[in-house]
Amino acid sequence: MLSQEDQGFKINILTHNIWLTNTSTFMPPNKIERTKSFLSYLIDKKKNNKPVFDIVLLQEVFEFGNVGWLGFDNSSKELILKFVKEQNELTDNFKSLRYVAESDKPKPMCQDSGLMILSTYPIIKRVNYIFSNYSLVEFVNAKGVLYSVIDLQNDNGDVLHVFDTHFDAHNPSNKILQIKELTNFMKEMLFNSISSNIKVIVTGDFNIDSKSKEDNLYSELLNNLNTILSKEDINFVDVFGNDTSTHVETHRNMCLDHIFITEKTLKQCPLPESNKAYGIIEWKCIENTKDPVSDHLGIHVCLSTQK
């Protein structure tokens, strides 16, 4: 799965909103079954349970801040953490998804950010930022950004700066404010690390439809991202490409989920199973193959670090 060939050190990345909220007006069904199925897809049983991905970036893995008997079942998140613990117990003969970064604990009677990062490589820093601008209906959700620094342990001593985010699902004006909050937070986190060789991924459920012709939110997002590393002449690019008309629908008829990477320091590699620049994840439950694992599609990319 991992190699250090001429084109660089390869990393398989998955981002996925897995629909484990507790406070929706329509409560997501079969959360335990869907979580178990999702976790089963992360390892290759034909290859001695080796991980399919090196880094997994999740949204909507919500934990609710229960108070006494008032609250919700958090067992889906607990299943994921149990999976990480089991990965820790595996032999060191190959890398496993043994490292995890979680959102900060939720406030009473509220949800946390619902963000989580699993990695086969050590996570050496973790910061959870909560948006201060949000729609009233989002008050119970601590949506924001989960930042992690991941030590790739390669010959070049590379680290990967990862920002996993989930935006407001309702008010466009709040999304604009959250774009500014995201970029300001990124500038703060990256201030002491900026160089011509910096490697950054920004991903998640932005709730911004890049295929929409009714607003310019996607352009606003990309333009703001490209102010962060402008002094090093490094731009961010969407793994779906520059032509938004070709972007894939990841939720209903919209393209809300994205992976942005630093153009000069990370390169997309063709996926071996399809020879395409990215893969779309549309998993079904193992026991009931009619049910999808999530209401969102996941995105898989293979990236190489540029020497």
Side-chain angles (χ1 to χ4, degrees), residues 2 22 24 29 34 43 48 83 109 149 180 202-203 214 229 234 236 253 261 276 287 305:
L2 301 173
N22 292 306
S24 172
R34 290 191 293 105
I43 55 177
N48 197 26
F83 168 84
M109 301 306 293
V149 181
K180 297 185 184 302
V202 190
T203 188
E214 298 179 2
L229 301 173
I234 296 177
F236 285 90
N253 61 342
I261 62 175
K276 293 182 178 180
E287 295 182 5
T305 58

Side-chain angles (χ1 to χ4, degrees), residues 240-255:
F240 286 148
N242 295 325
D243 183 357
T244 56
S245 68
T246 66
H247 285 195
V248 179
E249 296 174 357
T250 62
H251 179 66
R252 298 175 183 170
N253 61 342
M254 300 173 288
C255 183

Side-chain angles (χ1 to χ4, degrees), residues 8-259:
F9 184 79
K10 291 184 179 179
I11 323 157
N12 278 285
I13 307 284
L14 169 69
T15 185
H16 209 320
N17 177 326
I18 57 174
W19 198 28
L20 299 177
T21 185
N22 292 306
T23 60
S24 172
T25 52
F26 171 68
M27 191 64 68
N30 305 324
K31 290 196 288 185
I32 295 299
E33 181 186 347
R34 290 191 293 105
T35 303
K36 289 180 178 178
S37 295
F38 174 79
L39 294 172
S40 71
Y41 286 113
L42 298 184
I43 55 177
D44 190 341
K45 293 181 179 178
K46 295 180 180 178
K47 295 183 179 179
N48 197 26
N49 291 333
K50 290 185 178 180
V52 178
F53 308 98
D54 302 301
I55 301 172
V56 179
L57 301 126
L58 302 175
Q59 305 88 45
E60 290 202 16
V61 186
F62 284 113
E63 177 181 344
F64 193 85
N66 294 331
V67 178
W69 57 270
L70 295 172
F72 293 91
D73 184 1
N74 292 318
S75 53
S76 291
K77 181 176 180 179
E78 291 166 2
L79 273 176
I80 299 175
L81 295 176
K82 180 183 177 184
F83 168 84
V84 173
K85 183 179 179 181
E86 291 170 348
Q87 290 282 295
N88 262 287
E89 295 170 353
L90 294 176
T91 174
D92 285 329
N93 291 339
F94 61 87
K95 293 187 179 296
S96 60
L97 288 164
R98 65 185 59 200
Y99 302 100
V100 60
E102 299 179 59
S103 302
D104 293 344
K105 288 296 181 182
K107 294 180 179 179
M109 301 306 293
C110 291
Q111 294 193 134
D112 66 358
S113 293
L115 303 169
M116 183 181 286
I117 299 171
L118 311 181
S119 174
T120 61
Y121 294 100
I123 298 174
I124 57 178
K125 184 175 182 178
R126 181 213 70 98
V127 182
N128 186 191
Y129 174 81
I130 311 300
F131 290 133
S132 58
N133 296 281
Y134 47 81
S135 301
L136 183 60
V137 293
E138 295 274 19
F139 173 78
V140 72
N141 303 317
K143 286 187 175 178
V145 190
L146 181 59
Y147 166 61
S148 289
V149 181
I150 299 176
D151 182 359
L152 296 180
Q153 297 183 319
N154 61 7
D155 293 341
N156 298 325
D158 290 325
V159 298
L160 188 66
H161 300 267
V162 178
F163 295 86
D164 185 17
T165 190
H166 193 186
F167 272 37
D168 191 298
H170 302 279
N171 193 319
S173 62
N174 284 319
K175 294 178 187 180
I176 291 175
L177 294 173
Q178 289 181 355
I179 289 172
K180 297 185 184 302
E181 287 191 69
L182 168 65
T183 51
N184 287 337
F185 174 65
M186 290 179 64
K187 288 176 181 178
E188 179 184 354
M189 292 297 101
L190 298 175
F191 181 78
N192 293 320
S193 303
I194 293 178
S195 71
S196 60
N197 195 40
I198 192 169
K199 297 167 178 64
V200 186
I201 295 175
V202 190
T203 188
D205 175 2
F206 293 88
N207 276 309
I208 292 175
D209 182 13
S210 58
K211 298 175 74 69
S212 172
K213 298 180 181 179
E214 298 179 2
D215 58 52
N216 63 348
L217 286 173
Y218 179 78
S219 297
E220 182 80 10
L221 171 62
L222 193 54
N223 289 339
N224 273 263
L225 288 176
N226 284 334
T227 66
I228 297 170
L229 301 173
S230 57
K231 288 185 178 179
E232 296 295 337
D233 195 29
I234 296 177
N235 286 329
F236 285 90
V237 293
D238 194 321
V239 300
F240 286 148
N242 295 325
D243 183 357
T244 56
S245 68
T246 66
H247 285 195
V248 179
E249 296 174 357
T250 62
H251 179 66
R252 298 175 183 170
N253 61 342
M254 300 173 288
C255 183
L256 304 180
D257 308 84
H258 300 274
I259 301 177

